[in-house]
Amino acid sequence: SAVISQKPSRDICQRGTSLTIQCQVDSQVTMMFWYRQQPGQSLTLIATANQGSEATYESGFVIDKFPISRPNLTFSTLTVSNMSPEDSSIYLCSAHIPGQALSYEQYFGPGTRLTVT
Amino acid sequence: DQQVKQNSPSLSVQEGRISILNCDYTNSMFDYFLWYKKYPAEGPTFLISISSIKDKNEDGRFTVFLNKSAKHLSLHIVPSQPGDSAVYFCAASVASGSRLTFGEGTQLTVNP
């Protein structure tokens, strides 16, 4: 298994500001993912972040709003820019740990609970 | 387009009995299916997975069944324990390590 940590665990932000969420994995991984879980909803993929390349965004998510960095194989950041109350969600990072036989699962961080007022 | 659906938002069972959580999918390209458990204020925790080449995978109290022709999978928990009370998500992907598509989740409550 892998240990994934996120910072901050929660934050309350004013509309119009930006927040950067950090994700740290305790082993080197190729692919990291950022998901959002809005209140009462399922998890929705925001983007896939590969080291050394631009993040790939899902439909409905754009780089200007959710810039992502992936400077090395254990770390990524997601910024929620120009926040509005609709951005209030739990933001989760995840990673697939390669090299394990028949391993399909992704491991998730504990999430960052964001409230925008 | 909801490609993975969990039609039951909640399920309540007695301790010691079987819990059966269901999931349907529409994308025939999905090849791997996973179940996650999520407690409030925590990230999802991986439970069990199954590849499309199998129809059953068992791990302790957890068994996942896959019916490819019906595009349906289910998670059986037996015996159910109060600590199993959580939201259960099924997820699917087209390849190992690729993006996951999640269902809406089912809140399982196991009563003592």
Side-chain angles (χ1 to χ4, degrees):
Chain A
S1 64
V3 175
I4 301 179
S5 59
Q6 286 184 234
K7 284 193 226 181
S9 58
R10 60 176 60 227
D11 208 341
I12 301 173
C13 301
Q14 303 252 350
R15 74 169 66 211
T17 62
S18 298
L19 176 72
T20 295
I21 302 167
Q22 299 179 11
C23 180
Q24 180 77 51
V25 186
D26 69 349
S27 59
Q28 294 186 337
V29 296
T30 304
M31 300 177 75
M32 295 180 72
F33 305 88
W34 286 97
Y35 290 83
R36 179 175 76 179
Q37 185 184 20
Q38 293 179 300
Q41 305 286 317
S42 182
L43 283 76
T44 301
L45 181 66
I46 297 171
T48 301
N50 291 336
Q51 196 269 336
S53 63
E54 294 285 326
T56 303
Y57 288 83
E58 297 298 309
S59 175
F61 298 96
V62 295
I63 187 170
D64 289 345
K65 175 68 174 176
F66 298 101
I68 287 171
S69 78
R70 184 78 203 274
N72 57 52
L73 290 173
T74 64
F75 187 78
S76 179
T77 67
L78 169 77
T79 298
V80 186
S81 304
N82 188 24
M83 287 184 284
S84 67
E86 292 71 38
D87 294 320
S88 297
S89 294
I90 299 172
Y91 291 85
L92 297 135
C93 71
S94 75
H96 172 250
I97 311 301
Q100 298 181 15
L102 300 181
S103 170
Y104 315 130
E105 66 267 26
Q106 291 177 16
Y107 295 92
F108 282 81
T112 296
R113 183 178 295 272
L114 171 62
T115 303
V116 184
T117 61
Chain B
D1 175 31
Q2 188 69 25
Q3 296 186 59
V4 179
K5 287 190 69 65
Q6 295 174 255
N7 290 315
S8 298
S10 63
L11 174 68
S12 183
V13 300
Q14 284 298 120
E15 180 178 6
R17 307 295 286 268
I18 185 171
S19 297
I20 300 177
L21 299 106
N22 294 301
C23 181
D24 297 293
Y25 62 96
T26 58
N27 188 344
S28 57
M29 298 298 291
F30 286 142
D31 236 8
Y32 301 98
F33 305 89
L34 309 90
W35 284 94
Y36 285 84
K37 177 170 72 174
K38 188 178 186 300
Y39 295 116
E42 293 184 13
T45 302
F46 170 75
L47 276 177
I48 192 169
S49 64
I50 189 167
S51 164
S52 61
I53 62 173
K54 294 186 172 184
D55 55 17
K56 176 182 174 181
N57 189 27
E58 192 171 350
D59 184 1
R61 297 186 297 115
F62 302 93
T63 303
V64 56
F65 295 92
L66 175 63
N67 183 333
K68 279 192 69 178
S69 60
K71 294 190 176 65
H72 176 83
L73 64 154
S74 61
L75 174 68
H76 292 209
I77 307 173
V78 56
S80 301
Q81 300 172 353
D84 295 329
S85 298
V87 177
Y88 288 78
F89 290 97
C90 72
S93 70
V94 299
S96 175
S98 70
R99 54 165 296 181
L100 296 176
T101 301
F102 281 85
E104 305 95 324
T106 297
Q107 171 70 58
L108 173 66
T109 303
V110 181
N111 301 303

